[in-house]
Amino acid sequence: MKILHTADWHIGKVLHKHSLEDEMQLFFEWLLDTIEAEKVDLLLVSGDIFDIANPSANDRKTYYQVLTKLAAMQIRVIITGGNHDSIGVLNAPKEILNAINIDVVGGATQPITDELILLEHEPDGQSLVVAAVPFLRDKDLRSLSTDKAFDSRTQAIRAGITAHYKTLHEASNSLYQGIPTLAMGHLFAIGSLTSESERDIHIGNAAAISSEAFGTLFGYVALGHIHRPQVIGNNPLVRYSGSPIPLSFSEKKDTKSVVIVELKNNTFEEPRVIPVPKARELKKISGSYEEVEAKLKVYSPDFPLPSFVELEVKEDAFSNLILSNLESLTEQYRQDSTFKILKSRPIFKTGVKDTSDLFVAGENIEDLSPIDVFKKRIESEEITADQTSQLLNAFTELLEIVQTESI
Ligand SMILES: [Mn+2]
């Protein structure tokens, strides 16, 4: 049985007001071709299907078009919800998708054993149990860990997630004895290398999960949430597939990929990483104004889609001339067909300060996360470190509720 693991599609993602729809479409075409060429039997998508809880009609259309094509290929598909997804949006078409071999687990289920999906006697005679665990929200975790008192919320969350996996492992053992198991997950694992496009989960990521919580319980663990492809705890069978396309400039050097793992004679073989062809380059050009101008002149990318460029001009002293030059430089390339300048940041070491300089010169408010802005705000208060951390925790908690609230 051949399994393809991907995650973090983030359909609908916009980068500095520019849609990533075109590279997403190219990825889907490539994915369908790869599934066919590799003769994949099972596709796993570990959360963050959509970028926002209430995706546009167009983004939903994209999703259903892909699912329709997958169904026509007669493979099994298992989709779980991520922290960006609305449980309701993913689960609404659950029954109809089920009829075409697509299982959807938008949020934690009641009973928990509904998260176990049995694939029985696939063409090669191989069976498999998939513990399709979606992103676990606070309320899902509390129900499992009420019998114990924990020193902190962090500990309670960690224990809740660990208990969730353990319960599924035990249930699978008693219901489907002897059948290999695989777990999906959308969580923050200890030791994972992040980029700038993941949204913090569970108190600012403080409740990171050790790979031991699930690594030894399941034959393969297909993780989502972290956008850089990576192995966790040195175990090639516990890994993040990463997002299929770069979702932020911090991922510009990543090689995006999907994972193929084969299950043969009840054993998971060493997974293979298949790189996703790069459709668009994300490029940061920095230096003095003159250097940036010269580098732009010779920049001629060659990818299917126009590159997205970020300019960073670093000068010693504040200069209005530099600012206006930078503006006309950006204007000059507006019609270029090989790249688009998404943003330009002037950074001056010294110079005039005004009220907008509460932040580092050249930093746009839209580049900051809500937590950054809140941190800046409480920095200006005369409070103790203890109060600061209490306020930060409370703010993070509220932020999580706002961001994960289903629409
Ligand atoms: Mn994600």
Side-chain angles (χ1 to χ4, degrees), residues 146-169:
T146 40
D147 51 332
K148 271 191 202 158
F150 290 98
D151 291 346
S152 68
R153 224 180 115 231
T154 319
Q155 276 181 354
I157 289 170
R158 211 177 276 146
I161 295 176
T162 308
H164 194 100
Y165 279 95
K166 199 159 166 264
T167 307
L168 284 176
H169 165 74

PDB file of all heavy atoms in Angstrom, residues 146-169:
ATOM      1  N   THR A 146      -9.469  15.901  33.051  1.00  0.00           N
ATOM      2  CA  THR A 146     -10.102  16.535  34.201  1.00  0.00           C
ATOM      3  C   THR A 146      -9.821  15.783  35.506  1.00  0.00           C
ATOM      4  O   THR A 146      -9.979  16.326  36.580  1.00  0.00           O
ATOM      5  CB  THR A 146     -11.639  16.619  34.020  1.00  0.00           C
ATOM      6  OG1 THR A 146     -12.055  15.389  33.433  1.00  0.00           O
ATOM      7  CG2 THR A 146     -12.027  17.784  33.144  1.00  0.00           C
ATOM      8  N   ASP A 147      -9.402  14.525  35.382  1.00  0.00           N
ATOM      9  CA  ASP A 147      -9.219  13.722  36.593  1.00  0.00           C
ATOM     10  C   ASP A 147      -7.951  14.097  37.357  1.00  0.00           C
ATOM     11  O   ASP A 147      -7.736  13.669  38.473  1.00  0.00           O
ATOM     12  CB  ASP A 147      -9.201  12.232  36.238  1.00  0.00           C
ATOM     13  CG  ASP A 147      -8.222  11.919  35.117  1.00  0.00           C
ATOM     14  OD1 ASP A 147      -7.985  12.822  34.288  1.00  0.00           O
ATOM     15  OD2 ASP A 147      -7.719  10.798  35.078  1.00  0.00           O
ATOM     16  N   LYS A 148      -7.117  14.914  36.749  1.00  0.00           N
ATOM     17  CA  LYS A 148      -5.854  15.263  37.414  1.00  0.00           C
ATOM     18  C   LYS A 148      -5.744  16.768  37.549  1.00  0.00           C
ATOM     19  O   LYS A 148      -6.253  17.520  36.727  1.00  0.00           O
ATOM     20  CB  LYS A 148      -4.683  14.784  36.548  1.00  0.00           C
ATOM     21  CG  LYS A 148      -4.243  13.368  36.836  1.00  0.00           C
ATOM     22  CD  LYS A 148      -2.932  13.130  36.118  1.00  0.00           C
ATOM     23  CE  LYS A 148      -2.694  11.650  35.905  1.00  0.00           C
ATOM     24  NZ  LYS A 148      -1.766  11.410  34.812  1.00  0.00           N
ATOM     25  N   ALA A 149      -5.032  17.189  38.576  1.00  0.00           N
ATOM     26  CA  ALA A 149      -4.778  18.623  38.717  1.00  0.00           C
ATOM     27  C   ALA A 149      -3.406  18.913  38.135  1.00  0.00           C
ATOM     28  O   ALA A 149      -2.451  18.187  38.398  1.00  0.00           O
ATOM     29  CB  ALA A 149      -4.822  19.001  40.187  1.00  0.00           C
ATOM     30  N   PHE A 150      -3.316  19.936  37.301  1.00  0.00           N
ATOM     31  CA  PHE A 150      -2.028  20.270  36.713  1.00  0.00           C
ATOM     32  C   PHE A 150      -1.565  21.626  37.214  1.00  0.00           C
ATOM     33  O   PHE A 150      -2.355  22.500  37.505  1.00  0.00           O
ATOM     34  CB  PHE A 150      -2.123  20.280  35.193  1.00  0.00           C
ATOM     35  CG  PHE A 150      -2.299  18.914  34.614  1.00  0.00           C
ATOM     36  CD1 PHE A 150      -3.556  18.449  34.269  1.00  0.00           C
ATOM     37  CD2 PHE A 150      -1.206  18.083  34.443  1.00  0.00           C
ATOM     38  CE1 PHE A 150      -3.723  17.174  33.750  1.00  0.00           C
ATOM     39  CE2 PHE A 150      -1.361  16.810  33.923  1.00  0.00           C
ATOM     40  CZ  PHE A 150      -2.613  16.353  33.580  1.00  0.00           C
ATOM     41  N   ASP A 151      -0.236  21.762  37.333  1.00  0.00           N
ATOM     42  CA  ASP A 151       0.328  23.011  37.798  1.00  0.00           C
ATOM     43  C   ASP A 151       0.037  24.155  36.835  1.00  0.00           C
ATOM     44  O   ASP A 151      -0.176  25.280  37.215  1.00  0.00           O
ATOM     45  CB  ASP A 151       1.860  22.884  37.950  1.00  0.00           C
ATOM     46  CG  ASP A 151       2.194  21.955  39.096  1.00  0.00           C
ATOM     47  OD1 ASP A 151       1.267  21.666  39.876  1.00  0.00           O
ATOM     48  OD2 ASP A 151       3.357  21.528  39.195  1.00  0.00           O
ATOM     49  N   SER A 152       0.038  23.821  35.568  1.00  0.00           N
ATOM     50  CA  SER A 152      -0.160  24.898  34.607  1.00  0.00           C
ATOM     51  C   SER A 152      -1.020  24.421  33.457  1.00  0.00           C
ATOM     52  O   SER A 152      -1.207  23.223  33.243  1.00  0.00           O
ATOM     53  CB  SER A 152       1.184  25.348  34.062  1.00  0.00           C
ATOM     54  OG  SER A 152       1.736  24.305  33.277  1.00  0.00           O
ATOM     55  N   ARG A 153      -1.532  25.383  32.727  1.00  0.00           N
ATOM     56  CA  ARG A 153      -2.327  25.080  31.554  1.00  0.00           C
ATOM     57  C   ARG A 153      -1.475  24.372  30.505  1.00  0.00           C
ATOM     58  O   ARG A 153      -1.946  23.493  29.792  1.00  0.00           O
ATOM     59  CB  ARG A 153      -2.884  26.390  30.982  1.00  0.00           C
ATOM     60  CG  ARG A 153      -4.336  26.277  30.582  1.00  0.00           C
ATOM     61  CD  ARG A 153      -4.835  27.584  30.036  1.00  0.00           C
ATOM     62  NE  ARG A 153      -5.174  27.423  28.650  1.00  0.00           N
ATOM     63  CZ  ARG A 153      -4.756  28.192  27.674  1.00  0.00           C
ATOM     64  NH1 ARG A 153      -3.937  29.184  27.940  1.00  0.00           N
ATOM     65  NH2 ARG A 153      -5.132  27.980  26.443  1.00  0.00           N
ATOM     66  N   THR A 154      -0.219  24.788  30.440  1.00  0.00           N
ATOM     67  CA  THR A 154       0.711  24.166  29.493  1.00  0.00           C
ATOM     68  C   THR A 154       0.764  22.663  29.705  1.00  0.00           C
ATOM     69  O   THR A 154       0.658  21.883  28.771  1.00  0.00           O
ATOM     70  CB  THR A 154       2.128  24.740  29.697  1.00  0.00           C
ATOM     71  OG1 THR A 154       1.996  26.137  29.902  1.00  0.00           O
ATOM     72  CG2 THR A 154       3.016  24.469  28.525  1.00  0.00           C
ATOM     73  N   GLN A 155       0.937  22.281  30.966  1.00  0.00           N
ATOM     74  CA  GLN A 155       1.021  20.848  31.293  1.00  0.00           C
ATOM     75  C   GLN A 155      -0.277  20.133  30.973  1.00  0.00           C
ATOM     76  O   GLN A 155      -0.267  19.002  30.497  1.00  0.00           O
ATOM     77  CB  GLN A 155       1.319  20.679  32.774  1.00  0.00           C
ATOM     78  CG  GLN A 155       2.796  20.784  33.089  1.00  0.00           C
ATOM     79  CD  GLN A 155       3.037  20.581  34.576  1.00  0.00           C
ATOM     80  OE1 GLN A 155       2.091  20.482  35.365  1.00  0.00           O
ATOM     81  NE2 GLN A 155       4.292  20.545  34.961  1.00  0.00           N
ATOM     82  N   ALA A 156      -1.390  20.821  31.238  1.00  0.00           N
ATOM     83  CA  ALA A 156      -2.695  20.193  31.007  1.00  0.00           C
ATOM     84  C   ALA A 156      -2.893  19.929  29.515  1.00  0.00           C
ATOM     85  O   ALA A 156      -3.383  18.867  29.115  1.00  0.00           O
ATOM     86  CB  ALA A 156      -3.814  21.087  31.542  1.00  0.00           C
ATOM     87  N   ILE A 157      -2.479  20.881  28.682  1.00  0.00           N
ATOM     88  CA  ILE A 157      -2.626  20.715  27.232  1.00  0.00           C
ATOM     89  C   ILE A 157      -1.761  19.552  26.748  1.00  0.00           C
ATOM     90  O   ILE A 157      -2.209  18.675  26.010  1.00  0.00           O
ATOM     91  CB  ILE A 157      -2.253  22.023  26.496  1.00  0.00           C
ATOM     92  CG1 ILE A 157      -3.333  23.069  26.745  1.00  0.00           C
ATOM     93  CG2 ILE A 157      -2.057  21.782  24.998  1.00  0.00           C
ATOM     94  CD1 ILE A 157      -2.976  24.449  26.284  1.00  0.00           C
ATOM     95  N   ARG A 158      -0.508  19.561  27.222  1.00  0.00           N
ATOM     96  CA  ARG A 158       0.424  18.504  26.808  1.00  0.00           C
ATOM     97  C   ARG A 158      -0.120  17.125  27.212  1.00  0.00           C
ATOM     98  O   ARG A 158      -0.129  16.188  26.416  1.00  0.00           O
ATOM     99  CB  ARG A 158       1.769  18.767  27.468  1.00  0.00           C
ATOM    100  CG  ARG A 158       2.925  18.290  26.645  1.00  0.00           C
ATOM    101  CD  ARG A 158       4.234  18.644  27.303  1.00  0.00           C
ATOM    102  NE  ARG A 158       4.674  19.984  27.000  1.00  0.00           N
ATOM    103  CZ  ARG A 158       5.345  20.759  27.841  1.00  0.00           C
ATOM    104  NH1 ARG A 158       5.610  20.348  29.059  1.00  0.00           N
ATOM    105  NH2 ARG A 158       5.743  21.950  27.476  1.00  0.00           N
ATOM    106  N   ALA A 159      -0.603  17.037  28.445  1.00  0.00           N
ATOM    107  CA  ALA A 159      -1.129  15.750  28.927  1.00  0.00           C
ATOM    108  C   ALA A 159      -2.370  15.351  28.139  1.00  0.00           C
ATOM    109  O   ALA A 159      -2.569  14.169  27.823  1.00  0.00           O
ATOM    110  CB  ALA A 159      -1.463  15.850  30.410  1.00  0.00           C
ATOM    111  N   GLY A 160      -3.191  16.342  27.781  1.00  0.00           N
ATOM    112  CA  GLY A 160      -4.415  16.068  27.026  1.00  0.00           C
ATOM    113  C   GLY A 160      -4.097  15.485  25.654  1.00  0.00           C
ATOM    114  O   GLY A 160      -4.715  14.516  25.214  1.00  0.00           O
ATOM    115  N   ILE A 161      -3.120  16.070  24.970  1.00  0.00           N
ATOM    116  CA  ILE A 161      -2.753  15.585  23.627  1.00  0.00           C
ATOM    117  C   ILE A 161      -2.167  14.169  23.728  1.00  0.00           C
ATOM    118  O   ILE A 161      -2.533  13.261  22.970  1.00  0.00           O
ATOM    119  CB  ILE A 161      -1.750  16.554  22.937  1.00  0.00           C
ATOM    120  CG1 ILE A 161      -2.432  17.900  22.682  1.00  0.00           C
ATOM    121  CG2 ILE A 161      -1.232  15.954  21.625  1.00  0.00           C
ATOM    122  CD1 ILE A 161      -1.547  18.981  22.110  1.00  0.00           C
ATOM    123  N   THR A 162      -1.272  13.990  24.702  1.00  0.00           N
ATOM    124  CA  THR A 162      -0.654  12.679  24.893  1.00  0.00           C
ATOM    125  C   THR A 162      -1.722  11.617  25.178  1.00  0.00           C
ATOM    126  O   THR A 162      -1.693  10.512  24.605  1.00  0.00           O
ATOM    127  CB  THR A 162       0.359  12.743  26.058  1.00  0.00           C
ATOM    128  OG1 THR A 162       1.243  13.841  25.800  1.00  0.00           O
ATOM    129  CG2 THR A 162       1.174  11.481  26.180  1.00  0.00           C
ATOM    130  N   ALA A 163      -2.683  11.974  26.037  1.00  0.00           N
ATOM    131  CA  ALA A 163      -3.744  11.019  26.398  1.00  0.00           C
ATOM    132  C   ALA A 163      -4.608  10.683  25.187  1.00  0.00           C
ATOM    133  O   ALA A 163      -5.034   9.536  25.011  1.00  0.00           O
ATOM    134  CB  ALA A 163      -4.614  11.609  27.516  1.00  0.00           C
ATOM    135  N   HIS A 164      -4.834  11.683  24.333  1.00  0.00           N
ATOM    136  CA  HIS A 164      -5.649  11.474  23.134  1.00  0.00           C
ATOM    137  C   HIS A 164      -5.020  10.391  22.242  1.00  0.00           C
ATOM    138  O   HIS A 164      -5.696   9.453  21.820  1.00  0.00           O
ATOM    139  CB  HIS A 164      -5.756  12.803  22.371  1.00  0.00           C
ATOM    140  CG  HIS A 164      -6.816  12.818  21.317  1.00  0.00           C
ATOM    141  ND1 HIS A 164      -8.052  13.389  21.513  1.00  0.00           N
ATOM    142  CD2 HIS A 164      -6.833  12.317  20.055  1.00  0.00           C
ATOM    143  CE1 HIS A 164      -8.785  13.237  20.416  1.00  0.00           C
ATOM    144  NE2 HIS A 164      -8.057  12.598  19.520  1.00  0.00           N
ATOM    145  N   TYR A 165      -3.724  10.523  22.007  1.00  0.00           N
ATOM    146  CA  TYR A 165      -3.030   9.536  21.163  1.00  0.00           C
ATOM    147  C   TYR A 165      -2.975   8.162  21.822  1.00  0.00           C
ATOM    148  O   TYR A 165      -3.119   7.132  21.172  1.00  0.00           O
ATOM    149  CB  TYR A 165      -1.626  10.033  20.787  1.00  0.00           C
ATOM    150  CG  TYR A 165      -1.662  11.007  19.639  1.00  0.00           C
ATOM    151  CD1 TYR A 165      -1.694  12.377  19.869  1.00  0.00           C
ATOM    152  CD2 TYR A 165      -1.725  10.562  18.324  1.00  0.00           C
ATOM    153  CE1 TYR A 165      -1.773  13.284  18.812  1.00  0.00           C
ATOM    154  CE2 TYR A 165      -1.802  11.451  17.266  1.00  0.00           C
ATOM    155  CZ  TYR A 165      -1.817  12.815  17.519  1.00  0.00           C
ATOM    156  OH  TYR A 165      -1.914  13.687  16.473  1.00  0.00           O
ATOM    157  N   LYS A 166      -2.758   8.169  23.130  1.00  0.00           N
ATOM    158  CA  LYS A 166      -2.656   6.908  23.852  1.00  0.00           C
ATOM    159  C   LYS A 166      -3.997   6.156  23.805  1.00  0.00           C
ATOM    160  O   LYS A 166      -4.039   4.941  23.584  1.00  0.00           O
ATOM    161  CB  LYS A 166      -2.246   7.179  25.310  1.00  0.00           C
ATOM    162  CG  LYS A 166      -1.689   5.986  26.020  1.00  0.00           C
ATOM    163  CD  LYS A 166      -0.854   6.409  27.235  1.00  0.00           C
ATOM    164  CE  LYS A 166      -0.606   5.207  28.125  1.00  0.00           C
ATOM    165  NZ  LYS A 166      -1.576   5.109  29.244  1.00  0.00           N
ATOM    166  N   THR A 167      -5.085   6.916  24.007  1.00  0.00           N
ATOM    167  CA  THR A 167      -6.415   6.314  23.966  1.00  0.00           C
ATOM    168  C   THR A 167      -6.685   5.677  22.602  1.00  0.00           C
ATOM    169  O   THR A 167      -7.200   4.550  22.499  1.00  0.00           O
ATOM    170  CB  THR A 167      -7.496   7.383  24.258  1.00  0.00           C
ATOM    171  OG1 THR A 167      -7.156   8.027  25.482  1.00  0.00           O
ATOM    172  CG2 THR A 167      -8.876   6.770  24.368  1.00  0.00           C
ATOM    173  N   LEU A 168      -6.317   6.387  21.538  1.00  0.00           N
ATOM    174  CA  LEU A 168      -6.540   5.850  20.193  1.00  0.00           C
ATOM    175  C   LEU A 168      -5.689   4.611  19.932  1.00  0.00           C
ATOM    176  O   LEU A 168      -6.132   3.660  19.294  1.00  0.00           O
ATOM    177  CB  LEU A 168      -6.247   6.926  19.141  1.00  0.00           C
ATOM    178  CG  LEU A 168      -7.324   7.996  18.993  1.00  0.00           C
ATOM    179  CD1 LEU A 168      -6.886   9.067  18.003  1.00  0.00           C
ATOM    180  CD2 LEU A 168      -8.657   7.388  18.551  1.00  0.00           C
ATOM    181  N   HIS A 169      -4.467   4.657  20.443  1.00  0.00           N
ATOM    182  CA  HIS A 169      -3.572   3.509  20.290  1.00  0.00           C
ATOM    183  C   HIS A 169      -4.169   2.267  20.958  1.00  0.00           C
ATOM    184  O   HIS A 169      -4.230   1.185  20.370  1.00  0.00           O
ATOM    185  CB  HIS A 169      -2.207   3.867  20.894  1.00  0.00           C
ATOM    186  CG  HIS A 169      -1.309   2.703  21.142  1.00  0.00           C
ATOM    187  ND1 HIS A 169      -0.675   2.039  20.117  1.00  0.00           N
ATOM    188  CD2 HIS A 169      -0.957   2.072  22.287  1.00  0.00           C
ATOM    189  CE1 HIS A 169       0.040   1.059  20.625  1.00  0.00           C
ATOM    190  NE2 HIS A 169      -0.116   1.045  21.938  1.00  0.00           N
TER     191      HIS A 169
END
